[in-house]
């Protein structure tokens, strides 16, 4: 048997891989973005800090300079550290002598600040410098960056310039703001042509960025570590998701295409595979395959008698067995309940399909051990062999089912191959089923009555009610055809009730009119479905009461088959009917599977010998012997006997010789409509059976027709 559909799983797998990759890409992008955003932020943060420091330095520098300028410079004793400033030689009182004869030299703010910033640079690496396009001391000459800044300041629009720039190859944050001439500056700088308020230059600060970069790098490392960890966790989560979700989806896909109990493919999957076979056949017209429908026999009984649990276990065992028998290219699916559907692929002929289905049936030909029960089962199979018609997968299964139905009808454990007539018949069945729903309202149903003859009295003692359906287009449909349809379509209850009620009323009428001393008996056939209805006794009691029909005159006819399939329910109904005083007849005795033990087990009153035995009597001595044995048996069991299907005088004589008390058959009368029976009864007040025979027209094949015309 084929493994679960891999193409399906691969499809799902592919989707999950693509989906997981997408999540992976999105996650990596997000984490990467977050990493770079953080790095950028740190860089910006460090730059901002450096800028703060630059601004603070600038402010301090400017404050000192303002202070010093405000005080006109500072005089200090000249020393190695503070020699008289040659750049101030143009100032007359650069060098002064105190009254005490001490020599002092002028340190102007720039000179003073240069000394301070040089020390600051030596200690902290922070550079500070006053510069301008014209300078007293060449040491204050602007470098290229400062010159650019000075040019910008000259525009008058920008009052601050900052930038990361290299000095001697090392990274620095360079910061510069302009300085304007004040009154205090004029003393020293007028010589350069500056006036009060002029842009004199700017103070330039350079903060070494190396320590900031080092701090940023430290933060960057931890950011990188945390992001890599998050990324790895994300990857693990995606893998876990893909595995879990993948297996979950695969399981869901599997469940959607398989039967929960047997784990076999279900119909959806089977149809899919049939579709593939159809497509293959379209490409390779010589490719042959078959669709089979198998239905277990008596599975309902197994369920009813051993419980659903046992039934389920049996189905599982059978499913495993079938899966083993089939070839790897074939498929077995559970169609529901006790039905299995097969796709038999790549076969040479119908015979090969038959051979495989035979093997399937044979595999059931053994006892199954389930929960300590030993169960025997069997099956019926229908085969649809692919042909040139354009059938869909669904139609093929339907036709295999139709063939299975036909196989079942012809007896259990059979195989049938679908042919188009079956389809026609199935269609007709469906039409009959539909039309039957309206037949009663349209007065198309009619009850015919067949007289039952008391041989000793030589008179009509009762009737069997036999239903007829006059279909407007299909003509007369025999009850053998429409009763099973009524049973299968749930209409038998309604129809059966109507037959019983109408025939009880009718027979009582005839009794009152034609035989007031000894009332006619009435035999009514009861379907198995009616028999197992738990309310059947109440229903019949109601009808008897309503029609004021004497229960003792009613004979309910049941067949062996329904007793076998519904043992307990049938027993209950039969006992309940007995209690009401109704008689029970076993119909068509000897044609079914009924064992003799049934005769003892159930409380029967009458045994109806099937017409096939009566007719066999004439042909062979064996046939006569059989009827005689049946009569002895019935007598032993104290059962009354009705022989059916008596068609000739010879048969009647033989039965009379065997002391058979009651007969029915065309020899006396066919089943007739009520109006014809009335004519019969009216014609002969004594209901003399011989007179029936002497009314020749009533024994012709056209009897029913003639009576209808008379009506
Ligand atoms: P059945 O109960 O065995 O009825 C006897 C059948 O034998 C009847 O066929 C009857 O017409 C036929 N028959 C009677 N005498 C002779 C004879 O001498 N020779 C031959 N060859 N046949 C004879 P019918 O009326 O076609 O009924 C067929 C079956 O349909 C009945 O078999 C019964 O099982 C079922 N049926 C008929 N009416 C009803 C009904 O109202 N309810 C149910 N549940 N089943 C019914
Ligand atoms: Ca009958
Ligand atoms: Ca019968």
């Amino acid at each position: 048997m084929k493994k679960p559909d891999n193409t399906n799983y691969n499809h799902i797998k592919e989707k999950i891989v693509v989906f997981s990759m997408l999540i992976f890409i999105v996650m990596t992008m997000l984490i990467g973005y977050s990493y770079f955003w953080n790095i950028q932020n740190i860089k910006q943060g460090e730059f901002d800090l450096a800028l703060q420091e630059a601004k603070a330095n600038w402010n301090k520098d400017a404050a000192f300079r303002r202070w010093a300028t405000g005080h006109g410079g500072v005089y200090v004793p000249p020393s190695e550290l503070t020699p008289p400033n040659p750049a101030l030689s143009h100032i007359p009182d650069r060098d002064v002598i105190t009254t005490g004869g001490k020599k002092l030299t002028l340190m102007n703010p720039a000179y003073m600040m240069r000394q301070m910033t040089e020390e600051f640079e030596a200690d902290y690496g922070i550079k500070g410098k006053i510069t301008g396009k014209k300078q007293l001391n060449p040491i204050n000459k602007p470098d290229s960056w400062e010159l650019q800044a000075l040019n910008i300041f000259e525009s008058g629009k920008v009052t601050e310039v900052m930038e990361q720039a290299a000095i001697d190859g090392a990274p620095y944050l360079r910061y510069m703001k302009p300085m304007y001439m004040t009154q205090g500056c004029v003393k020293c700088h007028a010589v350069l042509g500056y006036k009060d308020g002029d842009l004199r230059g700017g103070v330039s600060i350079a903060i070494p960025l190396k320590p900031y970069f080092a701090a940023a790098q430290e933060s960057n490392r931890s950011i990188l570590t945390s992001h890599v960890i998050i990324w790895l966790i994300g990857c693990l989560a995606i893998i876990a998701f893909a595995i879990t979700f993948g297996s979950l989806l695969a399981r869901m896909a599997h469940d959607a295409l398989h039967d929960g109990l047997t784990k076999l493919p279900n119909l959806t999957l089977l149809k899919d595979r049939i579709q593939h076979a159809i497509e293959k056949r379209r490409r390779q017209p010589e490719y042959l395959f078959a669709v089979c429908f198998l239905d277990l026999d008596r599975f309902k009984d197994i369920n009813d008698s051993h419980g659903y649990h046992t039934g389920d276990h049996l189905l599982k065992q059978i499913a495993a067995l079938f899966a083993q028998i089939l070839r790897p290219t074939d498929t077995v699916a559970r169609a529901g309940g006790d039905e299995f559907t097969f796709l038999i692929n790549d076969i040479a002929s119908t015979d090969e399909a038959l051979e495989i289905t035979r093997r399937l049936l044979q595999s059931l030909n053994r006892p199954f051990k389930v929960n300590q029960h030993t169960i025997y089962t069997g099956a019926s199979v229908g085969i649809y062999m692919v042909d040139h018609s354009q059938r869909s997968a669904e139609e093929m299964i339907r036709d295999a089912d139709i063939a299975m139905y036909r196989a079942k009808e012809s007896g259990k454990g059979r195989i049938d191959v679908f042919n188009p007539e079956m389809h026609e018949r199935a269609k007709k069945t469906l039409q009959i089923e539909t039309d039957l729903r309206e037949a009663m309202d349209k007065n198309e149903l009619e009850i015919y009555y067949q007289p039952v003859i008391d041989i000793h009295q030589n008179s009509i003692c009762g009737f069997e009610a036999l239903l007829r359906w006059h279909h407007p287009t299909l003509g007369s449909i025999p009850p053998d055809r429409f009763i099973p349809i009524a049973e299968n379509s749930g209409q038998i209850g309604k129809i059966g009730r109507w037959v019983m009620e109408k025939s009880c009323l009718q027979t009582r009428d005839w009794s009152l009119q034609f035989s007031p001393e000894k009332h006619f008996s009435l035999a009514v056939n009861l379907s198995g479905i009616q028999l197992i209805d738990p309310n059947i006794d109440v229903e019949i009691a109601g009808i008897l009461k309503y029609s004021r029909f004497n229960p003792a005159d009613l004979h309910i006819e049941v067949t062996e088959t329904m007793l076998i399939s519904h043992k307990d329910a049938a027993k209950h109904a039969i006992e309940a009917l007995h209690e009401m005083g109704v008689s029970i007849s076993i119909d068509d005795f000897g044609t079914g599977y009924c064992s003799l033990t049934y005769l003892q087990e159930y409380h029967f009153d009458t045994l109806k010998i099937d017409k096939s035995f009566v007719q066999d009597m004439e042909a062979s001595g064996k046939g006569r012997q059989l009827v005689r044995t049946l009569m002895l048996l019935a007598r032993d069991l104290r059962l009354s006997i009705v022989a059916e299907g008596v068609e000739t005088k010879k048969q009647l004589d033989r039965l009379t010789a065997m002391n058979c008390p009651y007969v029915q058959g065309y020899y006396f009368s066919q089943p007739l409509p009520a109006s014809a029976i009335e004519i019969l009864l009216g014609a002969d007040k004594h209901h003399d059976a011989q007179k029936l025979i002497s009314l020749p027209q009533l024994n012709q094949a056209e009897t029913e027709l003639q009576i209808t015309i008379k009506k």
Side-chain angles (χ1 to χ4, degrees):
M1 192 193 61
K2 232 182 195 176
K3 291 247 158 53
D5 228 354
N6 278 330
T7 50
N8 223 314
Y9 295 147
N10 288 342
H11 196 62
I12 290 169
K13 238 193 246 165
E14 249 167 50
K15 282 210 163 147
I16 288 175
V17 168
V18 169
F19 188 61
S20 303
M21 287 296 286
L22 260 169
I23 299 181
F24 171 78
I25 291 169
V26 169
M27 177 196 76
T28 307
M29 276 169 64
L30 281 176
I31 292 179
Y33 175 78
S34 159
Y35 173 73
F36 287 111
W37 184 78
N38 271 291
I39 297 286
Q40 200 51 43
N41 261 1
I42 287 167
K43 206 169 160 192
Q44 187 61 46
E46 293 299 328
F47 186 86
D48 286 348
L49 277 179
L51 185 63
Q52 290 305 321
E53 195 173 3
K55 281 185 177 174
N57 273 285
W58 195 94
N59 285 339
K60 223 178 258 173
D61 188 296
F64 279 140
R65 276 180 216 279
R66 254 196 317 276
W67 180 85
T69 312
H71 289 81
V74 179
Y75 280 89
V76 295
S79 67
E80 210 179 313
L81 206 65
T82 51
N85 187 352
L88 299 179
S89 55
H90 64 284
I91 296 175
D93 47 2
R94 183 189 72 177
D95 301 301
V96 293
I97 296 173
T98 62
T99 45
K102 240 183 174 175
K103 238 179 148 187
L104 294 174
T105 186
L106 176 66
M107 282 191 84
N108 71 336
Y111 184 31
M112 212 160 57
M113 287 307 294
R114 193 173 60 248
Q115 288 218 338
M116 278 164 74
T117 52
E118 272 165 8
E119 246 177 71
F120 213 58
E121 184 179 356
D123 289 348
Y124 304 109
I126 298 171
K127 295 179 194 287
K129 177 181 167 193
I130 187 153
T131 184
K133 282 195 171 172
K134 294 177 279 185
Q135 62 287 122
L136 291 171
N137 190 341
I139 209 164
N140 289 335
K141 217 174 147 202
D143 64 15
S144 63
W145 186 85
E146 288 162 337
L147 191 62
Q148 224 174 337
L150 287 170
N151 285 337
I152 293 170
F153 293 149
E154 270 171 6
S155 72
K157 284 178 192 145
V158 178
T159 56
E160 190 179 48
V161 175
M162 67 202 78
E163 199 180 358
Q164 183 187 327
I167 302 178
D168 299 331
Y172 277 86
L173 169 67
R174 302 205 65 172
Y175 182 75
M176 195 161 154
K177 269 176 94 167
M179 291 278 291
Y180 293 92
M181 291 292 287
T182 59
Q183 201 54 52
C185 305
V186 178
K187 180 177 158 192
C188 302
H189 294 276
V191 69
L192 295 173
Y194 286 124
K195 297 186 301 293
D196 190 11
D198 279 354
L199 173 70
R200 138 118 160 67
V203 172
S204 155
I205 304 285
I207 304 285
L209 284 174
K210 251 189 186 153
Y212 287 97
F213 282 177
Q217 226 160 27
E218 191 59 38
S219 305
N220 287 355
R221 254 196 296 278
S222 51
I223 293 280
L224 182 68
T225 314
S226 60
H227 277 71
V228 167
I229 290 173
I230 293 172
W231 184 79
L232 283 174
I233 292 174
C235 287
L236 285 178
I238 289 171
I239 292 169
F241 156 83
I243 292 172
T244 322
F245 203 60
S247 57
L248 188 81
L249 274 188
R251 180 108 137 260
M252 276 164 64
H254 179 272
D255 288 354
L257 296 174
H258 291 80
D259 168 51
L261 178 71
T262 59
K263 308 289 177 240
L264 290 182
N266 62 13
L267 274 185
T268 315
L269 183 50
L270 183 89
K271 279 182 207 162
D272 191 53
R273 293 202 179 148
I274 296 177
Q275 195 51 45
H276 280 126
I278 293 173
E279 274 152 27
K280 189 163 180 186
R281 189 170 151 78
R282 215 167 279 153
R283 294 190 303 270
Q284 290 169 236
E286 72 284 0
Y287 184 79
L288 287 179
F289 66 92
V291 175
C292 306
F293 202 100
L294 181 147
D295 184 285
L296 293 179
D297 295 330
R298 299 182 38 248
F299 184 73
K300 200 185 166 301
D301 301 339
I302 295 168
N303 258 347
D304 288 350
S305 48
H306 301 298
Y308 284 99
H309 213 60
T310 304
D312 282 356
H313 274 284
L314 179 68
L315 285 177
K316 276 201 226 172
Q317 281 192 26
I318 291 176
L321 201 63
F322 287 166
Q324 250 175 30
I325 292 170
L326 291 185
R327 305 161 306 167
T329 45
D330 301 333
T331 299
V332 50
R334 179 161 175 235
D338 58 343
E339 297 166 342
F340 295 88
T341 317
F342 302 83
L343 167 64
I344 314 280
N345 262 316
D346 198 9
I347 45 176
S349 63
T350 312
D351 286 347
E352 201 176 332
L354 271 170
E355 178 52 40
I356 293 170
T357 39
R358 254 185 226 120
R359 276 214 297 278
L360 292 171
L361 283 191
Q362 272 160 14
S363 73
L364 299 179
N365 227 342
R366 62 161 179 91
F368 286 85
K369 284 253 178 284
V370 189
N371 299 341
Q372 286 116 39
H373 302 292
T374 304
I375 298 170
Y376 289 87
T377 182
S380 307
V381 186
I383 299 177
Y384 170 78
M385 187 69 202
V386 73
D387 54 19
H388 294 294
S389 67
Q390 301 286 314
R391 273 181 174 73
S392 66
E394 233 151 78
E395 286 165 339
M396 290 180 183
I397 296 173
R398 178 202 65 196
D399 290 344
D401 187 11
I402 290 174
M404 185 281 295
Y405 212 79
R406 293 286 296 160
K408 212 164 217 175
E409 270 178 1
S410 62
K412 290 182 198 282
R414 307 249 174 124
I415 302 171
D416 210 336
V417 181
F418 176 83
N419 61 43
E421 293 95 74
M422 284 184 187
H423 189 203
E424 283 312 305
R425 192 179 159 89
K427 258 177 39 192
K428 215 167 190 175
T429 301
L430 208 68
Q431 190 201 338
I432 290 177
E433 188 183 312
T434 315
D435 294 349
L436 192 57
R437 292 193 193 281
E438 297 176 349
M440 220 149 76
D441 296 336
K442 290 186 173 166
N443 271 331
E444 289 167 12
L445 295 185
E446 188 181 6
I447 302 168
Y448 274 36
Y449 297 88
Q450 184 173 41
V452 179
I453 312 298
D454 180 335
I455 293 185
H456 303 306
Q457 302 292 322
N458 191 27
S459 66
I460 299 172
C461 62
F463 307 94
E464 175 173 3
L466 292 160
L467 192 55
R468 296 288 176 269
W469 180 11
H470 311 293
H471 191 280
T473 54
L474 300 173
S476 178
I477 301 176
D480 289 336
R481 174 96 174 99
F482 73 83
I483 294 282
I485 296 174
E487 286 176 341
N488 290 334
S489 60
Q491 305 182 62
I492 192 67
K494 187 178 169 200
I495 293 174
R497 245 187 327 273
W498 178 81
V499 170
M500 176 115 24
E501 190 175 305
K502 200 153 173 126
S503 59
C504 280
L505 284 168
Q506 180 65 80
T507 310
R508 183 172 182 273
D509 240 31
W510 286 335
S511 292
L512 295 181
Q513 210 180 328
F514 303 109
S515 184
E517 291 97 51
K518 191 174 182 312
H519 285 188
F520 294 121
S521 66
L522 169 69
V524 179
N525 296 286
L526 205 70
S527 142
I529 308 276
Q530 288 175 278
L531 192 71
I532 57 165
D533 179 350
N535 280 327
I536 189 68
D537 49 342
V538 181
E539 196 173 278
I540 293 179
I543 293 172
L544 290 172
K545 194 166 170 208
Y546 166 75
S547 60
R548 287 187 285 157
F549 196 86
N550 181 11
D553 294 329
L554 181 65
H555 300 257
I556 298 284
E557 298 194 358
V558 297
T559 60
E560 298 161 297
T561 21
M562 61 179 85
L563 301 179
I564 296 166
S565 49
H566 307 291
K567 212 170 157 194
D568 294 334
K571 201 166 190 170
H572 165 84
I574 288 171
E575 270 156 23
L577 290 171
H578 256 295
E579 253 164 56
M580 285 157 47
V582 174
S583 299
I584 311 290
S585 308
I586 180 145
D587 205 356
D588 305 341
F589 186 74
T591 55
Y593 304 93
C594 198
S595 72
L596 292 178
T597 50
Y598 278 79
L599 286 182
Q600 285 175 312
E601 210 172 307
Y602 293 91
H603 191 165
F604 295 123
D605 303 275
T606 306
L607 194 148
K608 290 191 83 169
I609 298 177
D610 190 64
K611 52 181 172 285
S612 59
F613 297 113
V614 173
Q615 275 143 28
D616 274 0
M617 252 184 349
E618 260 177 295
S620 69
K622 227 174 177 181
R624 278 194 296 280
Q625 192 55 42
L626 203 77
V627 174
R628 194 172 293 124
T629 313
L630 284 178
M631 302 256 273
L632 287 174
L633 178 78
R635 235 162 256 146
D636 266 5
L637 294 167
R638 294 179 207 293
L639 299 177
S640 176
I641 295 170
V642 180
E644 295 185 297
V646 179
E647 290 182 354
T648 63
K649 175 133 186 10
K650 227 172 176 177
Q651 288 165 354
L652 176 67
D653 291 343
R654 291 230 150 89
L655 288 166
T656 312
M658 288 177 199
N659 235 342
C660 176
Y662 303 101
V663 291
Q664 252 177 278
Y666 294 172
Y667 179 65
F668 293 101
S669 167
Q670 291 201 357
L672 300 172
S675 53
I677 295 283
E678 235 151 78
I679 294 168
L680 261 179
L681 295 174
D684 171 29
K685 289 272 182 242
H686 304 291
H687 330 307
D688 187 341
Q690 290 307 317
K691 294 261 174 69
L692 272 180
I693 308 157
S694 63
L695 291 170
Q697 79 277 17
L698 294 176
N699 281 303
Q700 303 299 313
E702 319 82 16
T703 306
E704 293 181 14
L705 190 67
Q706 287 186 7
I707 297 295
T708 318
I709 293 164
K710 267 193 206 164
K711 248 198 317 186

